[in-house]
Amino acid sequence: MDAFETALTALLPRLRRFAHGLARDPAAADDLTQATAERALQARAQWQQGTSLDAWAYRIMRNIWIDTARSRQRRDKVLAPAEAGESVGVAGDAEGKAELHFLMRALDLLPDEQREAVALVMIEELSYREAAAVLDIPIGTLTSRLVRGRQALLALLED
């Protein structure tokens, strides 16, 4: 093991305690600790020698926990009973089908960058930060693409 791995290994008990404080569940805390160690090892080139490995690893853990909590909130939102999902796309009024058809066609006409941004934020309901991370772009760039994409969609749908 190199110095980074040795230091990260020594930090694991403290990370696990912090994970227990966040998760309040032993199994979830263990998963969070493992995910943190994995991400830290993958991103080791981003850590700068001489800076606090502790703070860097805690920040990674906190970000993973926030992402997990947001994901759980989205997943736990129940907008309709499960039985209602069985008939999605099977029947419906002609007007609703036409609107969906026009929306999908308008979305197809957007440039790739705008379509990706609109799909991640407006359809998949990712946060701006999450969508920017998926696309590997700054949040400002994502915001610009969203604004242009929304404007283009509105213009296409008005025609």
Side-chain angles (χ1 to χ4, degrees):
M1 283 196 306
D2 63 10
F4 177 86
E5 291 171 355
T6 303
L8 184 61
T9 302
L11 184 58
L12 285 176
R14 293 176 52 209
L15 286 172
R16 192 162 186 268
R17 278 194 305 271
F18 184 52
H20 275 275
L22 293 173
R24 298 184 197 138
D25 173 60
D30 289 343
D31 291 345
L32 182 57
T33 304
Q34 181 177 347
T36 302
E38 182 180 344
R39 189 168 298 171
L41 288 169
Q42 290 172 347
R44 70 188 303 163
Q46 296 174 5
W47 178 68
Q48 297 175 358
Q49 185 74 25
T51 61
S52 173
L53 179 64
D54 300 15
W56 185 71
Y58 287 139
R59 194 172 322 110
I60 289 172
M61 181 175 282
R62 184 176 176 274
N63 289 341
I64 291 171
W65 176 248
I66 289 169
D67 291 346
T68 302
R70 285 181 183 155
S71 175
R72 188 180 316 111
Q73 284 176 343
R74 280 194 302 273
R75 187 181 62 240
D76 291 347
K77 281 185 184 176
V78 178
L79 303 177
E83 301 81 38
E86 295 173 4
S87 63
V88 170
V90 174
D93 63 334
E95 185 178 326
K97 286 182 180 180
E99 287 177 11
L100 180 59
H101 174 74
F102 288 128
L103 177 62
M104 295 309 290
R105 287 193 55 144
L107 193 60
D108 287 343
L109 295 173
L110 293 179
D112 289 344
E113 293 107 12
Q114 293 174 12
R115 187 173 57 248
E116 290 172 339
V118 168
L120 288 172
V121 173
M122 296 178 69
I123 297 172
E124 295 300 321
E125 298 180 345
L126 270 80
S127 70
Y128 282 26
R129 178 187 297 168
E130 293 167 329
V134 167
L135 298 174
D136 196 26
I137 57 174
I139 291 178
T141 303
L142 174 75
T143 304
S144 299
R145 290 178 184 178
L146 274 172
V147 168
R148 289 192 311 270
R150 287 176 177 152
Q151 290 171 343
L153 274 178
L154 286 174
L156 288 166
L157 292 174
E158 286 176 357
D159 289 343

PDB file of all heavy atoms in Angstrom, residues 31 106 115 140 154:
ATOM      1  N   ASP A  31     -22.517   0.696   4.141  1.00  0.00           N
ATOM      2  CA  ASP A  31     -22.591   0.960   2.694  1.00  0.00           C
ATOM      3  C   ASP A  31     -22.018   2.330   2.370  1.00  0.00           C
ATOM      4  O   ASP A  31     -21.286   2.494   1.383  1.00  0.00           O
ATOM      5  CB  ASP A  31     -24.043   0.879   2.204  1.00  0.00           C
ATOM      6  CG  ASP A  31     -24.593  -0.532   2.235  1.00  0.00           C
ATOM      7  OD1 ASP A  31     -23.802  -1.490   2.347  1.00  0.00           O
ATOM      8  OD2 ASP A  31     -25.836  -0.674   2.137  1.00  0.00           O
ATOM      9  N   ALA A 106     -41.058  17.436 -30.487  1.00  0.00           N
ATOM     10  CA  ALA A 106     -40.334  18.691 -30.242  1.00  0.00           C
ATOM     11  C   ALA A 106     -39.024  18.405 -29.518  1.00  0.00           C
ATOM     12  O   ALA A 106     -37.985  18.984 -29.842  1.00  0.00           O
ATOM     13  CB  ALA A 106     -41.205  19.649 -29.424  1.00  0.00           C
ATOM     14  N   ARG A 115     -31.278  18.603 -25.416  1.00  0.00           N
ATOM     15  CA  ARG A 115     -32.167  17.471 -25.158  1.00  0.00           C
ATOM     16  C   ARG A 115     -31.706  16.706 -23.919  1.00  0.00           C
ATOM     17  O   ARG A 115     -32.519  16.330 -23.075  1.00  0.00           O
ATOM     18  CB  ARG A 115     -32.230  16.556 -26.380  1.00  0.00           C
ATOM     19  CG  ARG A 115     -33.274  15.469 -26.235  1.00  0.00           C
ATOM     20  CD  ARG A 115     -33.478  14.638 -27.492  1.00  0.00           C
ATOM     21  NE  ARG A 115     -32.249  14.013 -27.938  1.00  0.00           N
ATOM     22  CZ  ARG A 115     -31.602  14.335 -29.062  1.00  0.00           C
ATOM     23  NH1 ARG A 115     -32.050  15.279 -29.848  1.00  0.00           N
ATOM     24  NH2 ARG A 115     -30.496  13.699 -29.393  1.00  0.00           N
ATOM     25  N   GLY A 140     -23.273  26.108 -14.576  1.00  0.00           N
ATOM     26  CA  GLY A 140     -23.634  27.242 -15.419  1.00  0.00           C
ATOM     27  C   GLY A 140     -23.908  26.832 -16.860  1.00  0.00           C
ATOM     28  O   GLY A 140     -24.832  27.337 -17.503  1.00  0.00           O
ATOM     29  N   LEU A 154     -40.777  25.507 -26.025  1.00  0.00           N
ATOM     30  CA  LEU A 154     -41.976  26.360 -26.027  1.00  0.00           C
ATOM     31  C   LEU A 154     -42.266  26.881 -27.429  1.00  0.00           C
ATOM     32  O   LEU A 154     -43.415  26.885 -27.868  1.00  0.00           O
ATOM     33  CB  LEU A 154     -41.786  27.531 -25.046  1.00  0.00           C
ATOM     34  CG  LEU A 154     -41.885  27.160 -23.567  1.00  0.00           C
ATOM     35  CD1 LEU A 154     -41.531  28.361 -22.699  1.00  0.00           C
ATOM     36  CD2 LEU A 154     -43.273  26.663 -23.237  1.00  0.00           C
TER      37      LEU A 154
END
